[in-house]
Amino acid sequence: MSVAYTPLEMGLAIASVALATFVTRSTLLVVGERLRFAPRVEAALRYAPVCALAALVVPEILFRQDALVLGLDNPRLPAAIAASLFLLWKRSIVGCIAVGMSVYALWRYFVIGA
Amino acid sequence: MRDIAPAMPGAVAWGVVTGVAMVKFGLAVSAALGLSLTAYAGSAQLAVLPLLKDVTPVWIIAATAIVTNLRFVIYSAALRGWFLDYSRWRRLWLGYLSGDFVVVAFTNRVATEGAFLHRDAYYFGMALTNWVLWHVASIIGIVGAAYIPTHWGLEFAGILALLALVVPLCRERPALAGALAAALVAVLAHDWPLRLGMLAGVIVGITVAMWLDARKRSRGEIARVAQ
């Protein structure tokens, strides 16, 4: 990577994430004593995080260095599928990470040989 | 304490993985510690990592952090009624310390017992336990990351931790459809500059989910009228 953040930009980025934590969690507790969401607004707030996470996670799994890799040479794909199936079976974060990382490591070792 | 005990192994693992992932995604140890100690938000922290790696503009990082945190707006709206008779200062910190597990445990107890005495202390106790566990775990991860070779690919564990959050959320059909639409658009628009493809995916996904949600709601009303 040729460009990098200046310390100021890095500080701003970190501060913005911290601020987002505060604003989303505390604003409604502190101000606005009587307020109800319209159903549409509530729906948007409810579905936004899952959409954002999906839009972030899926490309992370499918792309490598800006190229779409859908074949057997992408160890993240079988690992993510195995981890998802495990999650549907048992709702365990620890298990999901363990299964995903195991498949990821084994796949890289045996299928790709790296 | 007992009421969040079932969530503890998950919280610790999530914290360690976040710590390791932050360093393995190329954050300096100081930046990783700073991010972890101030943000206290596993999913938002993990979500901004790939963006930080690609040196994405700060406003996109802020937008991503806000969107992944939006569920807490709903939580705090649900909690508010139970805490309105406490001071604003106290409520500010109650909000900051809230986390998924804590909110669920608290809402379960008020659902059965109503506005029990010292509910702020109960909430604080759980939230603080969770907070301490989280920070200890993520600091272990940040420090430990130096001893883990990069070629193990442990940053992928951070992606898996996010996946562990997404999949259970997809049980409702509007959420599943929204997530699929968001992912599809994000993949198709991946080469747009500044990660705008991801933002486009989020917008399309929310629109799809809202549309299905409204349709479900109106069907429910028709069914009620018909009875």
Side-chain angles (χ1 to χ4, degrees):
Chain A
M1 207 127 5
S2 54
V3 278
Y5 289 110
T6 62
L8 175 68
E9 285 173 321
M10 192 51 135
L12 278 177
I14 290 173
S16 70
V17 180
L19 196 66
T21 304
F22 243 112
V23 169
T24 52
R25 292 175 204 210
S26 296
T27 308
L28 281 184
L29 283 174
V30 176
V31 296
E33 314 277 292
R34 291 276 169 269
L35 177 140
R36 285 210 152 273
F37 288 124
R40 289 177 66 86
V41 178
E42 199 189 309
L45 290 174
R46 186 145 43 99
Y47 297 123
V50 67
C51 294
L53 293 172
L56 189 95
V57 167
V58 174
E60 278 299 318
I61 293 166
L62 298 183
F63 282 85
R64 195 188 291 151
Q65 261 107 43
D66 287 334
L68 192 60
V69 188
L70 291 177
L72 293 177
D73 54 339
N74 181 357
R76 292 187 166 198
L77 194 54
I81 292 170
S84 305
L85 290 176
F86 184 84
L87 273 175
L88 292 175
W89 177 48
K90 280 213 161 98
R91 302 181 67 176
S92 151
I93 296 176
V94 184
C96 164
I97 297 172
V99 168
M101 285 312 286
S102 307
V103 173
Y104 182 63
L106 292 173
W107 196 277
R108 291 208 309 177
Y109 190 77
F110 289 108
V111 181
I112 302 175
Chain B
M1 284 272 280
R2 214 175 326 121
D3 290 355
I4 55 161
M8 281 180 186
V12 170
W14 178 271
V16 173
V17 164
T18 305
V20 173
M22 283 192 294
V23 176
K24 290 298 173 200
F25 262 105
L27 242 59
V29 170
S30 59
L33 284 173
L35 183 60
S36 205
L37 289 174
T38 57
Y40 180 53
S43 56
Q45 264 167 259
L46 287 174
V48 300
L49 286 180
L51 308 184
L52 285 172
K53 191 182 171 201
D54 290 354
V55 199
T56 314
V58 172
W59 68 269
I60 294 186
I61 289 171
T64 307
I66 289 174
V67 174
T68 47
N69 268 321
L70 275 182
R71 65 186 190 282
F72 286 100
V73 177
I74 303 266
Y75 293 167
S76 58
L79 289 178
R80 190 175 46 174
W82 303 106
F83 291 126
L84 275 185
D85 40 342
Y86 296 116
S87 74
R88 293 198 163 178
W89 180 246
R90 184 163 285 203
R91 279 185 261 151
L92 179 73
W93 290 103
L94 284 172
Y96 180 63
L97 287 177
S98 79
D100 299 86
F101 307 125
V102 180
V103 174
V104 170
F106 182 84
T107 29
N108 284 345
R109 181 152 172 205
V110 285
T112 52
E113 295 177 34
F116 59 90
L117 201 62
H118 302 309
R119 54 192 181 280
D120 61 331
Y122 175 73
Y123 190 89
F124 258 126
M126 288 197 301
L128 220 54
T129 311
N130 197 40
W131 190 85
V132 169
L133 270 181
W134 165 261
H135 283 306
V136 170
S138 65
I139 289 170
I140 290 174
I142 292 169
V143 175
Y147 301 97
I148 299 171
T150 307
H151 72 262
W152 285 11
L154 264 194
E155 76 274 9
F156 183 55
I159 305 294
L160 288 170
L162 287 179
L163 195 68
L165 205 61
V166 175
V167 173
L169 285 175
C170 287
R171 273 165 200 267
E172 285 176 275
R173 192 165 301 171
L176 176 63
L180 289 176
L184 184 68
V185 172
V187 167
L188 293 177
H190 188 261
D191 54 352
W192 289 11
L194 304 178
R195 290 261 178 173
L196 290 178
M198 189 192 98
L199 288 185
V202 178
I203 292 166
V204 171
I206 294 174
T207 312
V208 167
M210 281 176 72
W211 176 65
L212 284 176
D213 188 78
R215 221 175 56 157
K216 199 173 79 177
R217 211 186 305 274
S218 64
R219 273 213 198 122
E221 263 156 36
I222 291 165
R224 257 198 305 278
V225 172
Q227 280 171 355

